[in-house]
């Protein structure tokens, strides 16, 4: 309840509509976070598919890279479908995963903040040493490194906040109101990644739900 009330105060200051009846999310005691290794591996696969989404590498090169690094088995069915047949529509959808990447980097303390969700993040702002792919970097060195994970409480604070942001976005959409305070696409992707981090309903990456 304290987390819920604190986040409602944040929304009030930001001018985002609040649903005071929206319940609090799972407690610290009820939550099991993904491990730092799981997060780093997921982050790495996302980084590779993201390069394909932005035409930085060919899909064939991405597939070979993932296979050579023993990451193909950790690539989800949806990601395999994307890399096998990367249509322009799929590329557009996949490009939004920049926001998921940023959230996972934040969870591993590779970036300091989750900025206000009104502007797309720029992965070019990430120092090369904090990113799992690129140059001569071996992604498995990144995956197996002893990352420091943010506290469960800090991650749950963010998950609860984005749950409330997402409700406001859905409410605006249902009522045909333009949401101008936050970007609904950014909010959804961050909510998605946060729900995966807190193992919401124990769902795999492709199946994460963002209930509001």
């Amino acid at each position: 309840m304290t987390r819920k009330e604190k986040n409602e105060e944040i929304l009030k200051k930001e001018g985002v509509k609040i649903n005071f009846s929206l319940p609090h999310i799972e407690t610290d005691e009820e939550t099991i976070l993904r491990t730092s290794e799981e997060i780093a591996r997921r982050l790495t696969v996302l980084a590779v598919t993201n390069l394909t989404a932005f035409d930085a590498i060919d899909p064939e090169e991405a597939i070979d890279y993932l296979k050579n690094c023993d990451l193909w088995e950790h690539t989800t069915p949806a990601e395999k479908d994307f890399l096998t047949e990367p249509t322009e529509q799929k590329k557009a959808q996949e490009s939004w995963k920049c926001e998921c990447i940023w959230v996972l980097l934040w969870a591993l303390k590779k970036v300091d903040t989750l900025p206000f969700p009104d502007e797309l993040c720029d992965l070019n702002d990430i120092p090369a040493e904090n990113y799992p792919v690129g140059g001569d970097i071996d992604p498995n060195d990144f995956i197996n490194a002893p990352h420091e994970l943010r506290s469960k409480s800090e991650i749950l604070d963010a998950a609860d906040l984005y749950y409330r942001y997402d409700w406001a976005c859905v409410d605006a959409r249902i009522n045909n109101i333009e949401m101008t305070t936050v970007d609904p696409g950014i909010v959804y992707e961050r909510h998605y990644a946060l729900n995966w981090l807190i193992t919401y309903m124990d769902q795999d990456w492709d199946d994460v739900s963002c209930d509001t």
Side-chain angles (χ1 to χ4, degrees):
M1 289 302 296
T2 302
R3 176 175 287 127
K4 166 179 155 65
E5 290 165 4
K6 183 177 72 173
N7 283 332
E8 287 170 348
E9 279 299 312
I10 291 173
L11 297 180
K12 183 178 178 181
K13 289 175 184 176
E14 293 171 345
V16 177
K17 186 175 179 180
I18 302 169
N19 177 0
F20 291 100
S21 299
L22 209 61
H24 60 76
I25 64 168
E26 292 79 4
T27 65
D28 294 38
E29 293 74 24
E30 293 170 323
T31 302
I32 298 175
L33 295 180
R34 303 283 176 178
T35 66
S36 60
E37 184 180 346
E38 280 182 282
I39 297 166
R41 186 180 293 113
R42 180 93 298 269
L43 175 55
T44 303
V45 174
L46 284 169
V48 176
T49 56
N50 191 255
L51 288 170
T52 305
F54 284 98
D55 295 318
I57 59 174
D58 293 329
E60 296 82 6
E61 184 182 351
I63 291 170
D64 288 344
Y65 182 88
L66 290 165
K67 287 181 176 178
N68 290 337
C69 296
D70 298 321
L71 290 169
W72 186 243
E73 65 183 282
H74 299 288
T75 307
T76 71
E79 288 165 340
K80 287 184 170 76
D81 174 72
F82 166 65
L83 292 172
T84 304
E85 191 181 352
T87 64
E88 291 306 310
Q89 182 181 1
K90 290 178 187 175
K91 284 181 183 179
Q93 292 172 341
E94 198 66 28
S95 67
W96 279 97
K97 294 294 184 290
C98 284
E99 297 299 326
C100 294
I101 290 171
W102 192 278
V103 169
L104 300 189
L105 286 166
W106 172 81
L108 293 179
K109 295 190 174 182
K110 302 302 180 185
V111 296
D112 294 330
T113 61
L114 291 179
F116 187 67
D118 63 343
E119 190 173 327
L120 288 166
C121 66
D122 188 348
L123 297 181
N124 292 317
D125 293 339
I126 311 298
E129 63 270 19
N130 287 347
Y131 208 65
V133 299
D136 297 326
I137 294 171
D138 182 340
N140 287 300
D141 288 343
F142 179 88
I143 290 167
N144 295 315
H147 300 288
E148 183 183 359
L149 189 59
R150 288 188 189 274
S151 70
K152 185 185 292 186
S153 180
E154 191 173 1
I155 291 172
L156 283 168
D157 283 351
D160 182 85
L161 179 61
Y162 274 85
Y163 168 50
R164 298 178 196 287
Y165 278 140
D166 209 357
W167 177 87
C169 292
V170 171
D171 178 72
R173 185 173 71 246
I174 290 171
N175 291 292
N176 294 312
I177 299 170
E178 184 182 3
M179 171 58 81
T180 57
T181 316
V182 297
D183 186 305
I186 295 172
V187 166
Y188 176 81
E189 295 297 337
R190 292 186 187 177
H191 188 194
Y192 192 102
L194 287 161
N195 274 359
W196 180 80
L197 280 171
I198 64 172
T199 57
Y200 178 66
M201 294 178 65
D202 203 25
Q203 293 168 330
D204 293 331
W205 182 262
D206 281 351
D207 305 317
V208 173
S209 53
C210 293
D211 302 320
T212 57

